[in-house]
Amino acid sequence: MSKWDKLLVRICTLSRDLRFDELRKVLESYGYKMNAPRSGSSHYTFRKSGCQPITIPKHEPIKKVYVELVRQVVESEARNDEDAE
């Protein structure tokens, strides 16, 4: 199993020890662009055309609610890929 596959398994099982950079890489792999916070905020917003923005605070480890948001994105993207085939 590749490092990428292991990361997706951790996301889909809602691993509590995920780091912000891991979630960032997943979202960017699906075409989301990260916008840095302003004025010292710790909240980063990820945007993709045609999708709702996702805002995640940069804390370690990431809270379960934000991991769940990314899991939903991964599952939605997987369904979209299957529908496109």
Side-chain angles (χ1 to χ4, degrees):
M1 184 179 285
S2 73
K3 181 180 176 181
W4 181 251
D5 292 333
K6 288 178 184 178
L7 177 58
L8 291 177
V9 167
R10 287 175 62 195
I11 288 171
C12 290
T13 59
L14 295 178
S15 178
R16 295 186 68 91
D17 62 345
L18 284 171
R19 304 190 61 77
F20 179 84
D21 285 337
E22 293 172 317
L23 291 184
R24 177 186 55 81
K25 289 176 186 175
V26 169
L27 288 170
E28 288 177 345
S29 74
Y30 286 108
Y32 284 82
K33 303 280 188 219
M34 182 176 77
N35 295 328
R38 296 182 185 160
S39 306
S41 174
S42 63
H43 290 68
Y44 288 75
T45 302
F46 295 85
R47 298 181 189 279
K48 179 179 176 181
S49 180
C51 298
Q52 291 286 347
I54 299 170
T55 301
I56 300 175
K58 188 174 184 179
H59 299 290
E60 305 292 346
I62 300 294
K63 290 184 179 179
K64 186 175 179 178
V65 65
Y66 301 107
V67 176
E68 173 66 21
L69 282 172
V70 175
R71 184 183 67 80
Q72 290 173 3
V73 168
V74 169
E75 289 177 349
S76 174
E77 293 286 345
R79 281 193 301 272
N80 289 342
D81 288 347
E82 288 175 1
D83 292 344
E85 292 177 357

